[in-house]
Amino acid sequence: MERKCKTGIIIASVLTLVIGVLLYKSAPLFDFSRVGNIVVFRNLSGVFIGCLIFIWMFAYVLSTKAIELKDDLDFPYSDFIFIVALCIMLLIPMSHLKGSDRSDVENRMFNKFPYILINNKYINQKYGDEFNLWFSDRFNMRTELISLDTSLKCSLVKNFCARNGVILDKKTKVIYTPSFFGLPQIRKYKKEKMAVIADNLTRFNEFCKSKNIKLYLLIVPRRYDFVEISEAFHRKDYGVEYIEYFKKNTDIDIIYPYNELIEANKETPVFFKTDHHWSKKGAYVGYSALMEEIKKQYPDIKVLNEKNLEVYYSNLVSNSFNENLNTGSLMRQFGLLNSDGAKLLDTQYKYYVNKEKDNIFVNLDSDLPDFNDKYDFDIYYDKGYDKKVFVMGDSFIWNLTEFLASSFRRVVVYPDNNKQMYLYKYEKIINRYKPDIIVIVMRSSYIETLLNLYPNKFSKKEFK
Amino acid sequence: MLFSSMTFIFVFLPIVLFLYFIVKKELRNTLLLLASLVFYAFGATKHVFLMLAIVMLNYVGALLIDRFQNKKKFLLVATIFCNLTILIFFKYFNFIYDNVSALFNLNISVFNVFLPLGISFYIFQALSYVIDVYRGEVKVQKNLINMALYICLFPQLVAGPIIKYHDIEGQIVEREVNLSDIAIGSKRFIIGLSKKVLLANALGEIADKIFLLDPSTMSHSVAWLGSIAYSLQLFFDFSGYSDMAIGLGLIFGFKFMENFNYPYISKSITEFWHRWHMSLSSWFKQYVYIPLGGNKNGIIKTVRNLGIVFLLTGIWHGAAWNFVVWGIWHGFFIILEKVLNLKEFEQKHNILPVKILMHIYCILVFVSGWVIFRAGSVAYAFTYLKNMFFIGNSVPSHISDNISYYINSNDMFIIPVAILCCFPVFKNFIHIKHPVFKTCMNIVLILLLIISTASIAADTYNPFIYFRF
């Protein structure tokens, strides 16, 4: 056999072995079974072996050609290795494509495999773009590359690293939301807005009174007073001004557990560092403050006591009633998905075990209008206080839900997901469900959402 | 399909390379043509047929010119007319219609013409072919596949360099692929990719933010930052793309002409145009400037010819008034340098202070030119330039006053690197043969490829986070 062939076989075999091990390690399942909606392969091991044969042939052809060419030239070995390395690198992303259609990390559906023909008639003009999106969502080592990019770009800076619209404070390992990015927002027409919101709240309170409903407004203080951030990002808290104004100008029961949270934060974090929500501990403090207020109206109500709850700790984040631990929304937005990201999770958060969990029934087939079983909850607890509670507001509701669910007979959690807090949306539900108590839960920076509660000069067009 | 997309680098390129090196030599052109059509169809599916029609037009045109020598002038004019009619229709119809409508207050609704990807590049290449055949500089290409490959060859199809037929005639029929060229080509590709992904994209983010602002409300420093960022972005974007094209060409055995030669170190606008988009400059020189008489018929005609060439250069770049003004702007300074005989002045006063002053003059002209080029309208461009040069009173708003809003910590690293790369500091690094240096260089290039790929991958990261929820 020619020297060229022998060397080619050796090189191709070694390369195939190396690539095979790398592929097997990076993608043990080697799932090529679906390309879009078309089932291509079912025998996974067969695909794997097929790919290895393909790689071997490719490497053999390339290496024999290279040797042939190298013999004719004075070709340096470093360039030869360079070309081989390049060839391997070009093959890696294609070597394993994710079969899943959904990314939990990115909280979105992956792009689907495009069709060349639309309705079997017309050529899909966007095929190229759609194919690129499809491949870009699924190529091998995508997560590692994204994390590498984030790590590299963060390593260039000393204190703060901005990625995908959020900022990481490298010293405190706190991630900030865009509201802190750049310059302070201009709060135009603040006084007029305050008056309109106060008027809205008063009207809503009157509406509730007419239906024998007790209304509470639980305002969650902003996160930046509870996590360690650089002074450069300190901003005035406009929310406090609003609260003071409402307390003076409305008769609504407002709960603003700022001092309680500050006190609790000394013991354990009440806000997450990698997520913009409050922790279970924070939510528990909010719950206690709320229940203290509710107890004035309903003295018989039983309030959960922290001492009677089982406790555990985790460095992960949960912002859901259904206890789904993850790295946090801001962390995901930032894009550190590998071990570098894990280094940020250095804080232990307090969690509670709900002993009554088995006695709580969550109705996922609720007939409530526009019920979304991912965000909305209709909860029954027979042992709870015999009152119906309707909770509206923003996503801070969710960590609070666990405690409320163990206190009342029925709790409907109905957060607003797009600043659409206008009464017409809720009137149907309130009239139908006839709650005894309504709780509005929202963070202080979100207060202006209440502008849309009733149509007014500041309302967005669609709410008028 | 973009060179800097995951699909191109990690799907299209490996498959084409694999097939290219396993098929017989005789089939390589067919394979490359098919690959080029797939490449084009990925970006502009509906315009593939237009491109093929242009191929046929010029193929037949050149055959007729070659066959009917006594009528070849007429046939050349007819072929050029058809090519230019197609170009004008697809590229300038909307522009002409909008201006005519505005001028005569017309209110007729007509269809909107979509610009086919790379049409200016491949029509200019086609013109090069028929003109070369007419001049007898090359033999007519009777093989349709070879002719189509010249026009459609994917490495330079959508953004150049514009290859003249006489430069590549021999390579289309017979070319050698050797390992050295593959290595150099791969290295050029990685350098181009890094320029585009790591430098141009980062600089583009700064420029995009600033050019979104009202130029009358930004501070002078922000205006300068925007113009410098855009100047650097454009250079690294375009030269990066050219590097990738030249590199890919080498891998497949083609030797394309260089397109950039450190234009930002020029000391005059004349020199700038000898270094910037050289394939376009030489195309205009060979097919417009010299046929018009060049500089052989006195200063008046030279000025006229230069004026025509730069007006056409401006129009070629885009169908908008700011491109026309940009062409006139460069033409004006070229003519001025010609009239004042700046070349002779430079030779006479070959001292450092004069060189520095000339360099500053050149930078001011081309940076201002890029503002006109980037601006959405001529009015925007002049307001922006007035702000840059402290003419009139700009009223900075609180946001557009603060330079730190537009550059982040990474940019503080990127901008100096980009400026450094404008100078020939790393020139010929990939050609140095010292084994240790070569090994180090190869490692750096592999790392650059990994970093660039990571950056491209990061762009695909698109989390849905309900921030405001």
Short mmCIF file of all heavy atoms in Angstrom, two decimals, chain A residues 58 75 78-79 86 93 106-108 125 128 132 142 145 149 153 157 166 186 330 332-333 395 416-417 443 446, chain B residues 7 10 18 42 45-46 177 179 187 398 409-410 438 442 449 454-455 458 460-465 467-469:
data_model
loop_
_atom_site.label_atom_id
_atom_site.label_comp_id
_atom_site.label_asym_id
_atom_site.label_seq_id
_atom_site.Cartn_x
_atom_site.Cartn_y
_atom_site.Cartn_z
N PHE A 58 -14.41 11.52 5.11
CA PHE A 58 -14.05 12.93 4.91
C PHE A 58 -12.60 13.16 5.30
O PHE A 58 -11.82 13.76 4.56
CB PHE A 58 -14.99 13.80 5.76
CG PHE A 58 -14.78 15.28 5.58
CD1 PHE A 58 -15.19 15.92 4.42
CD2 PHE A 58 -14.18 16.04 6.57
CE1 PHE A 58 -15.01 17.28 4.24
CE2 PHE A 58 -13.99 17.40 6.41
CZ PHE A 58 -14.41 18.02 5.24
N PHE A 75 5.34 22.14 2.72
CA PHE A 75 4.21 22.62 3.51
C PHE A 75 4.44 22.41 5.00
O PHE A 75 4.68 21.27 5.44
CB PHE A 75 2.95 21.88 3.06
CG PHE A 75 1.70 22.49 3.59
CD1 PHE A 75 1.28 23.73 3.17
CD2 PHE A 75 0.94 21.83 4.54
CE1 PHE A 75 0.12 24.30 3.66
CE2 PHE A 75 -0.22 22.39 5.04
CZ PHE A 75 -0.62 23.62 4.59
N SER A 78 2.64 22.99 11.03
CA SER A 78 1.72 23.82 11.83
C SER A 78 0.50 24.20 10.99
O SER A 78 -0.62 24.27 11.50
CB SER A 78 2.42 25.06 12.36
OG SER A 78 2.78 25.90 11.31
N ASP A 79 0.70 24.45 9.69
CA ASP A 79 -0.43 24.77 8.82
C ASP A 79 -1.30 23.54 8.60
O ASP A 79 -2.53 23.64 8.49
CB ASP A 79 0.07 25.30 7.48
CG ASP A 79 0.28 26.81 7.52
OD1 ASP A 79 0.00 27.42 8.57
OD2 ASP A 79 0.74 27.38 6.51
N LEU A 86 -9.32 23.21 11.87
CA LEU A 86 -10.40 24.00 11.27
C LEU A 86 -11.52 23.09 10.76
O LEU A 86 -12.70 23.38 10.99
CB LEU A 86 -9.81 24.83 10.11
CG LEU A 86 -10.71 25.89 9.50
CD1 LEU A 86 -11.05 26.96 10.51
CD2 LEU A 86 -10.04 26.52 8.29
N PRO A 93 -20.66 22.07 15.07
CA PRO A 93 -22.04 22.56 15.26
C PRO A 93 -23.09 21.71 14.56
O PRO A 93 -24.21 21.57 15.04
CB PRO A 93 -22.00 23.97 14.66
CG PRO A 93 -20.57 24.37 14.76
CD PRO A 93 -19.79 23.13 14.52
N GLU A 106 -34.40 29.88 27.67
CA GLU A 106 -34.78 31.13 27.01
C GLU A 106 -36.28 31.41 27.12
O GLU A 106 -36.74 32.47 26.68
CB GLU A 106 -34.37 31.10 25.54
CG GLU A 106 -32.86 31.19 25.39
CD GLU A 106 -32.41 30.96 23.96
OE1 GLU A 106 -32.66 31.82 23.12
OE2 GLU A 106 -31.80 29.90 23.71
N ASN A 107 -37.00 30.45 27.67
CA ASN A 107 -38.43 30.63 27.88
C ASN A 107 -39.16 30.96 26.59
O ASN A 107 -39.96 31.88 26.51
CB ASN A 107 -38.67 31.75 28.92
CG ASN A 107 -40.09 31.76 29.41
OD1 ASN A 107 -40.78 30.76 29.35
ND2 ASN A 107 -40.54 32.92 29.87
N ARG A 108 -38.85 30.24 25.54
CA ARG A 108 -39.51 30.46 24.25
C ARG A 108 -39.49 29.19 23.42
O ARG A 108 -38.73 28.26 23.70
CB ARG A 108 -38.82 31.59 23.48
CG ARG A 108 -37.44 31.24 22.98
CD ARG A 108 -36.85 32.37 22.14
NE ARG A 108 -35.47 32.12 21.82
CZ ARG A 108 -35.05 31.54 20.70
NH1 ARG A 108 -35.90 31.16 19.78
NH2 ARG A 108 -33.76 31.34 20.48
N GLN A 125 -40.31 32.35 0.22
CA GLN A 125 -39.29 33.36 -0.07
C GLN A 125 -38.35 33.58 1.12
O GLN A 125 -37.25 34.09 0.97
CB GLN A 125 -39.95 34.70 -0.42
CG GLN A 125 -40.87 34.66 -1.62
CD GLN A 125 -40.12 34.48 -2.94
OE1 GLN A 125 -38.92 34.70 -3.03
NE2 GLN A 125 -40.81 34.04 -3.97
N GLY A 128 -34.43 30.81 3.44
CA GLY A 128 -33.04 30.97 3.91
C GLY A 128 -32.99 31.51 5.33
O GLY A 128 -32.30 30.97 6.20
N ASN A 132 -31.89 29.49 8.71
CA ASN A 132 -30.82 30.01 9.58
C ASN A 132 -31.30 30.11 11.03
O ASN A 132 -30.58 29.75 11.96
CB ASN A 132 -30.36 31.38 9.08
CG ASN A 132 -29.06 31.81 9.72
OD1 ASN A 132 -28.18 30.99 9.98
ND2 ASN A 132 -28.95 33.09 10.04
N ARG A 142 -24.17 25.15 21.43
CA ARG A 142 -24.68 26.52 21.39
C ARG A 142 -24.59 27.18 22.77
O ARG A 142 -24.12 28.30 22.91
CB ARG A 142 -26.14 26.49 20.91
CG ARG A 142 -26.82 27.82 20.87
CD ARG A 142 -28.19 27.70 20.20
NE ARG A 142 -28.87 28.98 20.17
CZ ARG A 142 -29.73 29.39 21.09
NH1 ARG A 142 -30.01 28.59 22.10
NH2 ARG A 142 -30.31 30.56 21.02
N LEU A 145 -21.07 28.07 23.73
CA LEU A 145 -20.54 29.22 22.97
C LEU A 145 -21.14 30.53 23.47
O LEU A 145 -20.44 31.53 23.59
CB LEU A 145 -20.83 29.05 21.48
CG LEU A 145 -19.94 28.04 20.76
CD1 LEU A 145 -20.49 27.70 19.38
CD2 LEU A 145 -18.52 28.57 20.62
N ASP A 149 -18.98 33.56 25.10
CA ASP A 149 -19.03 34.95 24.64
C ASP A 149 -19.29 35.90 25.82
O ASP A 149 -18.62 36.92 25.97
CB ASP A 149 -20.14 35.09 23.59
CG ASP A 149 -20.19 36.49 23.01
OD1 ASP A 149 -19.25 36.85 22.29
OD2 ASP A 149 -21.15 37.22 23.31
N LYS A 153 -16.56 38.66 27.21
CA LYS A 153 -16.86 40.09 27.21
C LYS A 153 -16.88 40.66 28.62
O LYS A 153 -16.54 41.81 28.83
CB LYS A 153 -18.15 40.36 26.45
CG LYS A 153 -17.87 40.23 24.95
CD LYS A 153 -19.04 40.42 24.06
CE LYS A 153 -18.56 40.23 22.61
NZ LYS A 153 -19.61 39.88 21.70
N VAL A 157 -13.99 43.72 31.38
CA VAL A 157 -14.37 44.87 32.21
C VAL A 157 -14.14 44.57 33.69
O VAL A 157 -14.11 43.42 34.11
CB VAL A 157 -15.86 45.25 31.99
CG1 VAL A 157 -16.07 45.77 30.59
CG2 VAL A 157 -16.77 44.08 32.27
N VAL A 166 -29.03 43.90 30.48
CA VAL A 166 -28.94 43.89 31.94
C VAL A 166 -27.48 44.05 32.36
O VAL A 166 -26.58 43.85 31.56
CB VAL A 166 -29.53 42.60 32.58
CG1 VAL A 166 -31.02 42.54 32.38
CG2 VAL A 166 -28.87 41.37 32.02
N ILE A 186 -37.43 60.27 33.03
CA ILE A 186 -38.08 61.55 33.34
C ILE A 186 -39.51 61.24 33.79
O ILE A 186 -40.25 60.56 33.08
CB ILE A 186 -38.15 62.44 32.09
CG1 ILE A 186 -36.79 62.51 31.43
CG2 ILE A 186 -38.66 63.83 32.41
CD1 ILE A 186 -36.87 62.99 30.00
N LEU A 330 -33.06 37.22 35.37
CA LEU A 330 -31.99 38.15 34.98
C LEU A 330 -30.73 37.40 34.58
O LEU A 330 -30.00 37.81 33.68
CB LEU A 330 -31.69 39.12 36.13
CG LEU A 330 -32.85 40.04 36.51
CD1 LEU A 330 -32.49 40.88 37.71
CD2 LEU A 330 -33.23 40.93 35.36
N ARG A 332 -30.72 34.46 33.18
CA ARG A 332 -30.98 33.91 31.84
C ARG A 332 -30.84 35.00 30.79
O ARG A 332 -30.29 34.79 29.73
CB ARG A 332 -32.37 33.29 31.78
CG ARG A 332 -32.52 32.04 32.62
CD ARG A 332 -33.71 31.21 32.17
NE ARG A 332 -34.97 31.94 32.29
CZ ARG A 332 -35.70 31.99 33.38
NH1 ARG A 332 -35.30 31.36 34.46
NH2 ARG A 332 -36.83 32.65 33.42
N GLN A 333 -31.35 36.17 31.13
CA GLN A 333 -31.23 37.29 30.20
C GLN A 333 -29.77 37.65 29.97
O GLN A 333 -29.35 37.94 28.86
CB GLN A 333 -31.98 38.51 30.77
CG GLN A 333 -31.90 39.76 29.92
CD GLN A 333 -32.79 39.68 28.68
OE1 GLN A 333 -33.63 38.81 28.58
NE2 GLN A 333 -32.57 40.57 27.75
N SER A 395 -46.24 40.23 38.69
CA SER A 395 -45.71 38.88 38.93
C SER A 395 -45.24 38.66 40.37
O SER A 395 -44.89 37.53 40.72
CB SER A 395 -44.55 38.61 37.98
OG SER A 395 -43.57 39.62 38.13
N ASP A 416 -51.59 40.49 35.85
CA ASP A 416 -51.66 41.18 34.57
C ASP A 416 -50.29 41.09 33.93
O ASP A 416 -49.28 41.32 34.57
CB ASP A 416 -52.03 42.65 34.84
CG ASP A 416 -51.39 43.59 33.88
OD1 ASP A 416 -51.60 43.43 32.68
OD2 ASP A 416 -50.65 44.47 34.34
N ASN A 417 -50.23 40.70 32.68
CA ASN A 417 -48.92 40.46 32.10
C ASN A 417 -48.45 41.51 31.12
O ASN A 417 -47.42 41.37 30.52
CB ASN A 417 -48.87 39.08 31.44
CG ASN A 417 -49.88 38.98 30.30
OD1 ASN A 417 -50.61 39.92 30.06
ND2 ASN A 417 -49.90 37.85 29.64
N ARG A 443 -45.24 45.97 42.57
CA ARG A 443 -44.01 46.63 43.02
C ARG A 443 -44.20 48.13 42.87
O ARG A 443 -45.00 48.59 42.03
CB ARG A 443 -42.83 46.14 42.21
CG ARG A 443 -42.73 46.72 40.83
CD ARG A 443 -41.78 45.99 39.97
NE ARG A 443 -42.43 44.85 39.36
CZ ARG A 443 -41.92 44.15 38.33
NH1 ARG A 443 -40.76 44.48 37.83
NH2 ARG A 443 -42.56 43.14 37.82
N TYR A 446 -44.13 50.01 39.62
CA TYR A 446 -45.16 49.60 38.66
C TYR A 446 -46.47 50.32 38.91
O TYR A 446 -47.47 50.05 38.26
CB TYR A 446 -45.34 48.08 38.82
CG TYR A 446 -45.62 47.34 37.53
CD1 TYR A 446 -44.77 47.47 36.43
CD2 TYR A 446 -46.69 46.47 37.42
CE1 TYR A 446 -45.01 46.77 35.27
CE2 TYR A 446 -46.94 45.76 36.26
CZ TYR A 446 -46.09 45.92 35.19
OH TYR A 446 -46.34 45.21 34.05
N THR B 7 -25.30 29.30 9.60
CA THR B 7 -25.64 28.41 8.49
C THR B 7 -24.53 28.38 7.44
O THR B 7 -24.19 27.32 6.92
CB THR B 7 -26.97 28.87 7.84
OG1 THR B 7 -27.93 29.01 8.87
CG2 THR B 7 -27.45 27.88 6.81
N PHE B 10 -21.09 26.82 9.18
CA PHE B 10 -21.11 25.47 9.73
C PHE B 10 -22.05 24.48 9.02
O PHE B 10 -22.16 23.34 9.43
CB PHE B 10 -21.43 25.52 11.22
CG PHE B 10 -20.38 26.28 12.00
CD1 PHE B 10 -20.62 27.56 12.45
CD2 PHE B 10 -19.14 25.72 12.23
CE1 PHE B 10 -19.63 28.26 13.14
CE2 PHE B 10 -18.16 26.41 12.90
CZ PHE B 10 -18.40 27.69 13.36
N PHE B 18 -16.50 19.81 1.16
CA PHE B 18 -16.39 18.34 1.06
C PHE B 18 -16.67 17.88 -0.37
O PHE B 18 -15.89 17.14 -0.96
CB PHE B 18 -17.38 17.70 2.04
CG PHE B 18 -17.41 16.21 1.96
CD1 PHE B 18 -16.33 15.45 2.41
CD2 PHE B 18 -18.50 15.54 1.43
CE1 PHE B 18 -16.35 14.07 2.33
CE2 PHE B 18 -18.52 14.15 1.34
CZ PHE B 18 -17.44 13.42 1.79
N PHE B 42 -30.77 31.44 -0.82
CA PHE B 42 -31.00 31.54 0.62
C PHE B 42 -31.25 32.99 1.04
O PHE B 42 -31.96 33.24 2.00
CB PHE B 42 -29.79 30.98 1.39
CG PHE B 42 -30.07 29.64 1.98
CD1 PHE B 42 -30.29 28.55 1.16
CD2 PHE B 42 -30.15 29.47 3.35
CE1 PHE B 42 -30.57 27.31 1.72
CE2 PHE B 42 -30.43 28.24 3.91
CZ PHE B 42 -30.64 27.16 3.08
N THR B 45 -34.46 34.42 -2.76
CA THR B 45 -35.01 33.32 -3.56
C THR B 45 -35.59 33.78 -4.89
O THR B 45 -35.28 33.24 -5.95
CB THR B 45 -36.11 32.59 -2.75
OG1 THR B 45 -35.61 32.38 -1.42
CG2 THR B 45 -36.47 31.26 -3.37
N LYS B 46 -36.43 34.84 -4.81
CA LYS B 46 -37.17 35.22 -6.03
C LYS B 46 -36.27 35.87 -7.07
O LYS B 46 -36.67 36.00 -8.22
CB LYS B 46 -38.34 36.12 -5.67
CG LYS B 46 -37.97 37.43 -5.02
CD LYS B 46 -39.23 38.17 -4.62
CE LYS B 46 -38.88 39.33 -3.70
NZ LYS B 46 -40.04 39.95 -3.13
N VAL B 177 -5.45 24.01 -7.02
CA VAL B 177 -5.74 24.17 -5.59
C VAL B 177 -4.59 23.52 -4.83
O VAL B 177 -4.30 22.35 -5.04
CB VAL B 177 -7.05 23.46 -5.20
CG1 VAL B 177 -7.39 23.70 -3.74
CG2 VAL B 177 -8.18 23.92 -6.09
N LEU B 179 -2.37 23.21 -0.97
CA LEU B 179 -2.57 23.29 0.47
C LEU B 179 -2.18 24.66 1.04
O LEU B 179 -2.81 25.16 1.97
CB LEU B 179 -1.76 22.18 1.15
CG LEU B 179 -2.39 21.52 2.35
CD1 LEU B 179 -3.81 21.11 2.09
CD2 LEU B 179 -1.57 20.34 2.81
N LYS B 187 -7.07 31.37 6.59
CA LYS B 187 -6.64 32.42 7.52
C LYS B 187 -7.26 33.77 7.16
O LYS B 187 -7.70 34.51 8.03
CB LYS B 187 -5.11 32.51 7.53
CG LYS B 187 -4.45 31.29 8.18
CD LYS B 187 -2.96 31.32 8.01
CE LYS B 187 -2.36 29.98 8.45
NZ LYS B 187 -0.91 29.93 8.32
N HIS B 398 -30.66 65.91 27.60
CA HIS B 398 -29.94 65.26 28.69
C HIS B 398 -29.37 63.91 28.28
O HIS B 398 -28.33 63.50 28.74
CB HIS B 398 -30.85 65.10 29.91
CG HIS B 398 -31.91 64.08 29.70
ND1 HIS B 398 -32.98 64.33 28.89
CD2 HIS B 398 -32.03 62.82 30.16
CE1 HIS B 398 -33.74 63.26 28.88
NE2 HIS B 398 -33.19 62.33 29.64
N SER B 409 -18.05 49.46 28.55
CA SER B 409 -16.66 49.14 28.89
C SER B 409 -15.98 48.32 27.80
O SER B 409 -14.80 48.49 27.54
CB SER B 409 -16.63 48.36 30.20
OG SER B 409 -17.52 48.92 31.10
N ASN B 410 -16.73 47.44 27.15
CA ASN B 410 -16.14 46.63 26.07
C ASN B 410 -15.68 47.51 24.92
O ASN B 410 -14.65 47.24 24.30
CB ASN B 410 -17.15 45.60 25.55
CG ASN B 410 -17.50 44.57 26.59
OD1 ASN B 410 -16.74 44.36 27.53
ND2 ASN B 410 -18.65 43.95 26.45
N LYS B 438 4.69 31.21 13.04
CA LYS B 438 3.56 30.63 12.28
C LYS B 438 2.65 29.82 13.20
O LYS B 438 1.42 29.95 13.14
CB LYS B 438 4.11 29.74 11.17
CG LYS B 438 3.06 29.34 10.14
CD LYS B 438 3.65 28.46 9.10
CE LYS B 438 4.02 29.17 7.83
NZ LYS B 438 2.92 29.74 7.08
N ASN B 442 -1.17 30.65 14.04
CA ASN B 442 -2.26 29.69 13.79
C ASN B 442 -3.12 29.49 15.03
O ASN B 442 -4.35 29.39 14.94
CB ASN B 442 -1.68 28.34 13.34
CG ASN B 442 -1.13 28.41 11.93
OD1 ASN B 442 -1.37 29.38 11.22
ND2 ASN B 442 -0.37 27.42 11.52
N LEU B 449 -11.35 32.39 15.66
CA LEU B 449 -12.53 31.71 15.07
C LEU B 449 -13.49 31.29 16.18
O LEU B 449 -14.71 31.48 16.06
CB LEU B 449 -12.10 30.50 14.24
CG LEU B 449 -13.25 29.72 13.61
CD1 LEU B 449 -14.03 30.57 12.62
CD2 LEU B 449 -12.76 28.46 12.92
N ALA B 454 -18.46 32.26 18.92
CA ALA B 454 -19.19 32.50 20.18
C ALA B 454 -20.02 33.77 20.07
O ALA B 454 -21.16 33.82 20.54
CB ALA B 454 -18.20 32.59 21.34
N SER B 455 -19.44 34.77 19.44
CA SER B 455 -20.17 36.03 19.30
C SER B 455 -21.38 35.86 18.37
O SER B 455 -22.46 36.40 18.64
CB SER B 455 -19.22 37.09 18.73
OG SER B 455 -19.81 38.33 18.75
N ALA B 458 -23.94 33.99 20.30
CA ALA B 458 -24.59 34.84 21.32
C ALA B 458 -25.69 35.68 20.69
O ALA B 458 -26.68 36.00 21.35
CB ALA B 458 -23.55 35.75 21.98
N THR B 460 -27.70 34.65 18.61
CA THR B 460 -28.89 33.80 18.44
C THR B 460 -29.62 33.60 19.77
O THR B 460 -30.69 33.02 19.81
CB THR B 460 -28.52 32.40 17.89
OG1 THR B 460 -27.82 31.67 18.92
CG2 THR B 460 -27.65 32.49 16.66
N TYR B 461 -29.01 34.09 20.84
CA TYR B 461 -29.62 33.94 22.17
C TYR B 461 -30.72 34.98 22.32
O TYR B 461 -30.46 36.18 22.24
CB TYR B 461 -28.55 34.14 23.24
CG TYR B 461 -29.03 33.87 24.64
CD1 TYR B 461 -29.43 32.60 25.02
CD2 TYR B 461 -29.07 34.88 25.59
CE1 TYR B 461 -29.86 32.35 26.30
CE2 TYR B 461 -29.49 34.64 26.88
CZ TYR B 461 -29.89 33.37 27.23
OH TYR B 461 -30.32 33.12 28.50
N ASN B 462 -31.90 34.51 22.50
CA ASN B 462 -33.02 35.43 22.44
C ASN B 462 -34.03 35.09 23.52
O ASN B 462 -35.11 34.61 23.23
CB ASN B 462 -33.65 35.34 21.04
CG ASN B 462 -34.72 36.35 20.83
OD1 ASN B 462 -34.77 37.37 21.51
ND2 ASN B 462 -35.62 36.06 19.91
N PRO B 463 -33.66 35.30 24.77
CA PRO B 463 -34.58 34.88 25.83
C PRO B 463 -35.82 35.76 25.90
O PRO B 463 -35.75 36.96 25.65
CB PRO B 463 -33.74 35.04 27.10
CG PRO B 463 -32.75 36.08 26.77
CD PRO B 463 -32.48 35.97 25.31
N PHE B 464 -36.93 35.12 26.20
CA PHE B 464 -38.14 35.90 26.43
C PHE B 464 -38.29 36.08 27.94
O PHE B 464 -38.58 35.15 28.66
CB PHE B 464 -39.37 35.17 25.87
CG PHE B 464 -40.66 35.82 26.26
CD1 PHE B 464 -41.04 37.03 25.69
CD2 PHE B 464 -41.48 35.28 27.22
CE1 PHE B 464 -42.21 37.66 26.07
CE2 PHE B 464 -42.66 35.90 27.61
CZ PHE B 464 -43.02 37.09 27.03
N ILE B 465 -38.02 37.28 28.38
CA ILE B 465 -38.09 37.56 29.81
C ILE B 465 -39.10 38.68 30.00
O ILE B 465 -39.00 39.72 29.37
CB ILE B 465 -36.73 38.04 30.35
CG1 ILE B 465 -35.63 37.05 30.02
CG2 ILE B 465 -36.80 38.29 31.85
CD1 ILE B 465 -35.67 35.75 30.76
N PHE B 467 -39.59 41.27 31.76
CA PHE B 467 -38.98 42.23 32.67
C PHE B 467 -39.97 43.06 33.44
O PHE B 467 -39.85 43.31 34.60
CB PHE B 467 -38.17 43.22 31.85
CG PHE B 467 -36.75 42.84 31.73
CD1 PHE B 467 -36.12 42.89 30.51
CD2 PHE B 467 -36.03 42.45 32.82
CE1 PHE B 467 -34.82 42.56 30.39
CE2 PHE B 467 -34.72 42.12 32.72
CZ PHE B 467 -34.11 42.17 31.48
N ARG B 468 -40.95 43.54 32.69
CA ARG B 468 -41.86 44.51 33.27
C ARG B 468 -43.03 43.81 33.93
O ARG B 468 -44.05 44.42 34.21
CB ARG B 468 -42.34 45.50 32.20
CG ARG B 468 -41.26 46.13 31.39
CD ARG B 468 -40.40 47.06 32.21
NE ARG B 468 -41.17 48.17 32.72
CZ ARG B 468 -40.73 48.99 33.64
NH1 ARG B 468 -39.54 48.82 34.16
NH2 ARG B 468 -41.46 50.00 34.05
N PHE B 469 -42.90 42.54 34.13
CA PHE B 469 -44.03 41.78 34.66
C PHE B 469 -43.74 41.41 36.12
O PHE B 469 -42.76 40.81 36.41
CB PHE B 469 -44.22 40.55 33.80
CG PHE B 469 -45.47 39.77 34.14
CD1 PHE B 469 -46.54 40.39 34.76
CD2 PHE B 469 -45.56 38.44 33.86
CE1 PHE B 469 -47.67 39.67 35.09
CE2 PHE B 469 -46.69 37.72 34.17
CZ PHE B 469 -47.74 38.34 34.78
#
